[in-house]
């Protein structure tokens, strides 16, 4: 759902990962009202847990204080926002023997992609069905490109490319634990960016976790911001437990 100041994705699962609110800075004179209205809505929907993502800015202090005052807890600086001029993308990198990166073009491959991404992100198998239902109807939109990395024929990594507004965004870069440290994360990130560049896109963006940050810097990405995450649990639910 999307309002003027807030966007959210809510499911029926009691998990921080599957219920997300995203906001930039709220108007200072309405921040408390907007936060409380949103939380009241989630209580009525019996949402038990959610994560609230905030883009860090110099004037973010009031927003952070407002979230804390409404019972949310600061978890961490969730990711670093990064960007690159695709003309400067580093491409002279060692190849990975036995690695093949293929597009996901049907629903069977999408289920496989979700399973590998779930392993890479350490998401429980019980969430794979929900993830599939959330994306199956839109994932084959022409703005999306979805990629699966195969190492000697075995699925080991994932990534996605989203094209909009002249910008190429990279999302859901993952690698299963036993295949890490071989350059697969770099390769599964680079392939979509090269495709975007061939299509005429000039700017690439992504949000880097601490694990992927070094890879993206190596490719030429530069920092331009941060996202912080706050956690909320439904106090009404907690009182009934």
């Amino acid at each position: 759902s999307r309002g003027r100041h807030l966007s959210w994705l809510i499911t029926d699962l009691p998990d921080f990962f599957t219920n997300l609110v995203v906001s930039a800075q709220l108007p200072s004179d309405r921040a408390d009202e907007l936060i409380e209205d949103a939380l009241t809505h989630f209580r009525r929907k019996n949402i038990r847990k959610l994560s609230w993502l905030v883009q860090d800015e110099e004037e973010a202090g009031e927003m952070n204080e407002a979230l804390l005052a409404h019972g949310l807890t600061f978890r961490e600086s969730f990711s670093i926002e990064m960007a690159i001029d695709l003309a400067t993308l580093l491409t002279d990198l060692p190849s990975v023997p036995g690695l093949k990166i293929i597009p996901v073009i049907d629903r069977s491959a999408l289920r496989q992609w979700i399973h590998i991404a779930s392993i890479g992100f350490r998401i429980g198998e019980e969430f794979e069905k929900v993830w599939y239902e959330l994306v199956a109807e839109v994932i084959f939109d022409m703005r999306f490109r979805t990629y699966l990395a195969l190492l000697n024929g075995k699925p080991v990594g994932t990534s996605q490319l989203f094209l909009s507004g002249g910008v190429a965004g990279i999302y859901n870069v993952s690698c299963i634990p036993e295949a890490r440290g071989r350059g697969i994360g770099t390769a599964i990130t680079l392939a979509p960016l090269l495709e975007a560049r061939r299509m005429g896109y000039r700017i690439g963006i992504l949000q880097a976790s601490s694990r992927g940050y070094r890879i993206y810097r190596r490719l030429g990405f530069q920092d331009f911001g941060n996202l912080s995450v706050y956690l909320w649990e439904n106090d009404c639910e907690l009182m009934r437990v």
Side-chain angles (χ1 to χ4, degrees):
S1 180
R2 180 181 295 272
R4 181 178 178 184
H5 301 290
L6 298 172
S7 298
W8 57 73
L9 171 65
I10 299 299
T11 72
D12 59 356
L13 293 173
D15 184 80
F16 292 116
F17 177 81
T18 55
N19 300 295
L20 301 173
V21 179
V22 181
S23 68
Q25 290 305 110
L26 301 178
S28 58
D29 60 340
R30 296 192 60 209
D32 284 322
E33 172 194 350
L34 291 168
I35 293 169
E36 186 55 38
D37 285 351
L39 295 180
T40 297
H41 172 75
F42 301 139
R43 290 187 184 101
R44 288 172 178 166
K45 293 290 186 180
N46 201 29
I47 304 303
R48 293 170 57 187
K49 297 180 179 181
L50 62 80
S51 296
W52 193 303
L53 306 183
V54 179
Q55 186 173 28
D56 288 348
E57 299 176 0
E58 290 184 2
E59 63 274 20
E62 292 184 4
M63 173 71 168
N64 298 341
E65 290 177 6
L67 290 171
L68 294 173
H70 284 270
L72 285 85
T73 57
F74 176 71
R75 171 68 182 273
E76 61 182 339
S77 290
F78 180 70
S79 63
I80 301 170
E81 296 178 291
M82 306 183 77
I84 189 172
D85 179 343
L86 293 178
T88 69
L89 187 64
L90 179 64
T91 59
D92 186 19
L93 298 170
S95 61
V96 180
L99 183 67
K100 184 178 182 180
I101 297 173
I102 63 172
V104 172
I105 59 174
D106 58 42
R107 292 182 177 236
S108 175
L110 176 60
R111 291 184 186 277
Q112 189 175 51
W113 182 92
I114 288 173
H115 179 63
I116 296 301
S118 296
I119 295 172
F121 291 130
R122 295 186 296 178
I123 301 170
E125 288 189 24
E126 64 271 23
F127 298 133
E128 291 184 23
K129 182 176 183 292
V130 174
W131 193 352
Y132 177 83
E133 291 173 349
L134 285 171
V135 303
E137 297 303 320
V138 299
I139 205 68
F140 301 112
D141 183 300
M142 289 301 294
R143 294 172 297 174
F144 280 101
R145 304 285 191 279
T146 303
Y147 303 86
L148 186 65
L150 306 177
L151 185 62
N152 299 319
K154 176 185 176 182
V156 293
T158 67
S159 67
Q160 280 185 308
L161 176 69
F162 182 68
L163 305 168
S164 180
V167 175
I170 296 291
Y171 300 92
N172 291 318
V173 177
S174 73
C175 185
I176 61 175
E178 57 266 35
R180 290 173 185 161
R182 306 185 194 183
I184 294 169
T186 300
I188 197 73
T189 303
L190 182 60
L193 292 170
L194 290 175
E195 181 170 352
R197 189 168 73 176
R198 287 192 294 269
M199 296 171 66
Y201 285 81
R202 297 178 57 190
I203 301 297
I205 61 170
L206 54 77
Q207 294 168 354
S209 65
S210 57
R211 177 181 295 151
Y213 180 77
R214 182 177 56 85
I215 292 173
Y216 306 135
R217 288 286 294 184
R218 183 184 180 198
L219 289 172
F221 278 87
Q222 301 295 318
D223 305 10
F224 72 88
N226 292 278
L227 280 178
S228 291
V229 61
Y230 294 78
L231 304 182
W232 178 78
E233 292 192 63
N234 190 332
D235 48 6
C236 295
E237 278 291 320
L238 292 174
M239 287 189 290
R240 288 200 293 266
V241 173

